[in-house]
Amino acid sequence: AGCVSLGGKPPKMLIGLTADKTAAAGAMAGGPIGEALVVLDPQADRRLDVLRVPVQVDGSQIAYLQDVAWVERPARLLRHLLAETIRAKGKRLVFEATDDVTGSKLTLSGRLIEMGYDARSQSVAVRYDALREDGKGGVEARRFEAVIPGISPTAESVAPALNRAANQVAAEVADWVG
């Protein structure tokens, strides 16, 4: 028997997002399906629609952080984090886009603008343009942003800072959605 290698060298670290606040075990929320919130995957540029962590080198150059990769696409990780943070508030029945939901009128969608490291300012940033649709033709948009400065360009520093920034954005979105 021999070893088979498919692809390149694996990253030294895989990172994900972990919710600061999670729903407790047991009943979370209930109500009419028409009042449930469906959280959809945010849209994202191609530089964010990969498993690598982007580094903004200057105004036009992008590189990727060495030896680290996301466990899942950043937009999907943000969707999970948003849904769990909203669930944790316990005020609303929340589904994710992958759930088999018919009849819900309320949706949270948007665009993930930034989730990476900025070499110029030595900071991480998470920027999300949210769209809340009420199913009756009403749409509300709002930009959420968290920046954490003073971060060195290493996976060990960037990963927890991205998690903190994403949780800050998720908490603000959860307050906005209600």
Side-chain angles (χ1 to χ4, degrees), residues 16-24 77-89 96 160 162-171 174:
L17 298 177
T18 306
D20 286 345
K21 296 178 182 173
T22 61
L77 289 170
L78 184 63
R79 182 194 80 200
H80 293 316
L81 183 66
L82 290 167
E84 186 59 29
T85 303
I86 295 166
R87 272 187 206 105
K89 290 183 70 82
E96 295 187 49
L162 280 169
N163 195 60
R164 278 195 325 250
N167 269 282
Q168 180 182 330
V169 166

Coordinates of all heavy atoms in Angstrom, one line a residue, residues 16-24 77-89 96 160 162-171 174:
G16 N -12.7 28.8 11.3 CA -14.1 28.9 11.1 C -14.6 30.1 12.0 O -13.8 30.8 12.6
L17 N -15.9 30.2 12.1 CA -16.5 31.2 13.0 C -17.3 30.5 14.0 O -18.0 29.6 13.7 CB -17.4 32.2 12.2 CG -16.7 33.0 11.1 CD1 -17.7 33.8 10.3 CD2 -15.6 33.9 11.6
T18 N -17.1 31.0 15.3 CA -17.9 30.4 16.4 C -18.7 31.5 17.0 O -18.2 32.6 17.4 CB -16.9 29.8 17.5 OG1 -16.0 28.9 16.8 CG2 -17.6 29.1 18.6
A19 N -20.0 31.2 17.2 CA -20.9 32.3 17.8 C -20.6 32.5 19.3 O -20.4 31.6 20.0 CB -22.3 31.8 17.6
D20 N -20.5 33.8 19.6 CA -20.3 34.2 21.0 C -21.6 33.8 21.9 O -21.5 33.4 23.0 CB -20.1 35.7 21.2 CG -18.7 36.1 20.7 OD1 -17.8 35.2 20.6 OD2 -18.5 37.3 20.5
K21 N -22.7 34.0 21.2 CA -24.0 33.6 21.9 C -24.7 32.6 21.1 O -24.8 32.7 19.9 CB -24.9 34.9 22.0 CG -24.3 36.0 22.9 CD -25.1 37.2 22.9 CE -24.4 38.2 23.7 NZ -25.1 39.5 23.7
T22 N -25.1 31.5 21.8 CA -25.8 30.4 21.1 C -27.2 30.2 21.8 O -27.3 30.5 23.0 CB -25.0 29.1 21.1 OG1 -24.8 28.7 22.4 CG2 -23.7 29.3 20.4
A23 N -28.1 29.6 21.1 CA -29.4 29.3 21.7 C -29.2 28.1 22.7 O -28.4 27.2 22.4 CB -30.3 28.9 20.6
A24 N -29.9 28.2 23.8 CA -29.8 27.2 24.8 C -30.6 25.9 24.3 O -31.4 26.0 23.4 CB -30.5 27.7 26.1
L77 N -20.2 30.7 6.2 CA -19.8 30.8 7.7 C -20.6 32.0 8.3 O -21.1 31.8 9.4 CB -18.3 30.9 7.8 CG -17.5 29.7 7.5 CD1 -16.0 30.1 7.5 CD2 -17.7 28.6 8.6
L78 N -20.6 33.1 7.6 CA -21.3 34.2 8.1 C -22.8 34.0 8.2 O -23.4 34.4 9.2 CB -21.1 35.5 7.2 CG -21.7 36.8 7.8 CD1 -21.1 37.1 9.1 CD2 -21.5 37.9 6.8
R79 N -23.4 33.3 7.3 CA -24.8 32.9 7.3 C -25.1 32.1 8.6 O -26.0 32.4 9.3 CB -25.3 32.1 6.1 CG -26.8 31.8 6.2 CD -27.2 30.8 5.2 NE -26.8 29.4 5.7 CZ -26.7 28.4 4.9 NH1 -26.9 28.4 3.6 NH2 -26.4 27.2 5.4
H80 N -24.3 31.1 8.9 CA -24.5 30.3 10.1 C -24.4 31.1 11.3 O -25.2 31.0 12.3 CB -23.4 29.1 10.2 CG -23.5 28.1 9.1 ND1 -24.7 27.5 8.7 CD2 -22.6 27.5 8.4 CE1 -24.5 26.6 7.8 NE2 -23.2 26.6 7.5
L81 N -23.4 32.0 11.4 CA -23.2 32.9 12.5 C -24.3 33.8 12.7 O -24.8 34.0 13.9 CB -21.9 33.6 12.4 CG -21.5 34.5 13.5 CD1 -21.2 33.7 14.8 CD2 -20.3 35.4 13.2
L82 N -24.8 34.4 11.7 CA -26.0 35.3 11.8 C -27.2 34.6 12.3 O -27.8 35.1 13.2 CB -26.3 35.9 10.4 CG -25.3 37.0 9.8 CD1 -25.6 37.3 8.4 CD2 -25.3 38.3 10.7
A83 N -27.5 33.4 11.7 CA -28.7 32.7 12.1 C -28.6 32.3 13.6 O -29.5 32.4 14.3 CB -28.8 31.4 11.2
E84 N -27.4 31.8 14.0 CA -27.3 31.3 15.4 C -27.4 32.5 16.4 O -27.9 32.4 17.4 CB -25.9 30.6 15.6 CG -25.8 30.0 17.0 CD -26.9 29.0 17.4 OE1 -27.4 28.3 16.5 OE2 -27.1 28.9 18.6
T85 N -26.8 33.6 16.0 CA -26.8 34.8 16.9 C -28.3 35.4 17.0 O -28.7 35.7 18.1 CB -25.9 35.9 16.3 OG1 -24.6 35.4 16.2 CG2 -25.8 37.1 17.2
I86 N -29.0 35.3 15.9 CA -30.4 35.8 15.9 C -31.2 34.8 16.8 O -32.1 35.2 17.6 CB -31.0 35.9 14.5 CG1 -30.3 37.1 13.8 CG2 -32.5 36.2 14.6 CD1 -30.5 37.1 12.3
R87 N -31.0 33.5 16.6 CA -31.7 32.4 17.4 C -31.4 32.6 18.9 O -32.3 32.4 19.7 CB -31.2 31.0 17.0 CG -31.9 30.4 15.9 CD -31.4 29.0 15.7 NE -31.6 28.6 14.3 CZ -30.6 28.5 13.4 NH1 -29.4 28.7 13.7 NH2 -30.9 28.2 12.2
A88 N -30.2 33.0 19.2 CA -29.8 33.1 20.6 C -30.6 34.2 21.3 O -30.8 34.1 22.5 CB -28.3 33.4 20.7
K89 N -31.1 35.2 20.6 CA -31.9 36.2 21.2 C -33.3 35.7 21.6 O -33.9 36.2 22.5 CB -32.1 37.4 20.2 CG -30.8 38.2 20.0 CD -31.1 39.4 19.0 CE -31.9 40.4 19.7 NZ -31.2 41.4 20.5
E96 N -32.3 28.6 8.1 CA -31.3 29.0 7.1 C -31.7 28.6 5.7 O -32.6 27.7 5.6 CB -29.9 28.3 7.5 CG -29.4 28.9 8.8 CD -28.1 28.4 9.2 OE1 -27.1 28.4 8.3 OE2 -27.9 27.9 10.3
P160 N -8.5 34.6 15.4 CA -9.4 35.0 16.5 C -10.0 36.4 16.3 O -11.1 36.8 16.7 CB -8.6 34.9 17.7 CG -7.2 34.8 17.3 CD -7.2 34.3 15.9
L162 N -10.7 37.8 13.3 CA -11.8 37.7 12.4 C -13.1 37.2 13.1 O -14.2 37.6 12.8 CB -11.5 36.8 11.2 CG -10.6 37.4 10.1 CD1 -10.1 36.4 9.2 CD2 -11.4 38.5 9.4
N163 N -12.9 36.2 14.0 CA -14.1 35.7 14.7 C -14.7 36.8 15.6 O -15.9 36.9 15.6 CB -13.6 34.5 15.6 CG -14.8 33.7 16.1 OD1 -15.6 33.2 15.3 ND2 -15.0 33.7 17.4
R164 N -13.9 37.6 16.3 CA -14.4 38.7 17.1 C -15.2 39.7 16.2 O -16.3 40.2 16.6 CB -13.3 39.4 17.8 CG -12.9 38.7 19.1 CD -12.0 39.6 20.0 NE -11.1 40.5 19.3 CZ -9.8 40.4 19.2 NH1 -9.2 39.5 19.8 NH2 -9.1 41.3 18.5
A165 N -14.6 40.1 15.1 CA -15.2 41.1 14.2 C -16.5 40.5 13.6 O -17.5 41.2 13.6 CB -14.3 41.5 13.1
A166 N -16.5 39.3 13.2 CA -17.7 38.7 12.7 C -18.8 38.6 13.7 O -20.0 38.8 13.4 CB -17.4 37.3 12.1
N167 N -18.5 38.3 15.0 CA -19.5 38.2 16.0 C -20.0 39.6 16.4 O -21.2 39.7 16.7 CB -18.9 37.6 17.3 CG -19.1 36.1 17.3 OD1 -20.2 35.6 17.6 ND2 -18.1 35.3 16.9
Q168 N -19.2 40.6 16.3 CA -19.7 42.0 16.5 C -20.7 42.4 15.4 O -21.8 42.9 15.7 CB -18.5 43.0 16.5 CG -18.9 44.4 16.7 CD -17.8 45.4 16.6 OE1 -16.7 45.1 16.9 NE2 -18.1 46.6 16.2
V169 N -20.4 42.1 14.2 CA -21.3 42.3 13.1 C -22.6 41.5 13.3 O -23.7 42.1 13.2 CB -20.7 42.0 11.7 CG1 -21.7 41.9 10.6 CG2 -19.6 43.1 11.4
A170 N -22.5 40.2 13.6 CA -23.7 39.4 13.8 C -24.6 39.9 15.0 O -25.8 39.9 14.8 CB -23.3 37.9 14.1
A171 N -24.0 40.4 16.0 CA -24.7 40.9 17.2 C -25.5 42.2 16.7 O -26.7 42.4 17.1 CB -23.8 41.2 18.3
A174 N -28.4 41.1 14.5 CA -29.5 40.5 15.3 C -30.3 41.6 16.1 O -31.5 41.4 16.1 CB -28.8 39.5 16.4

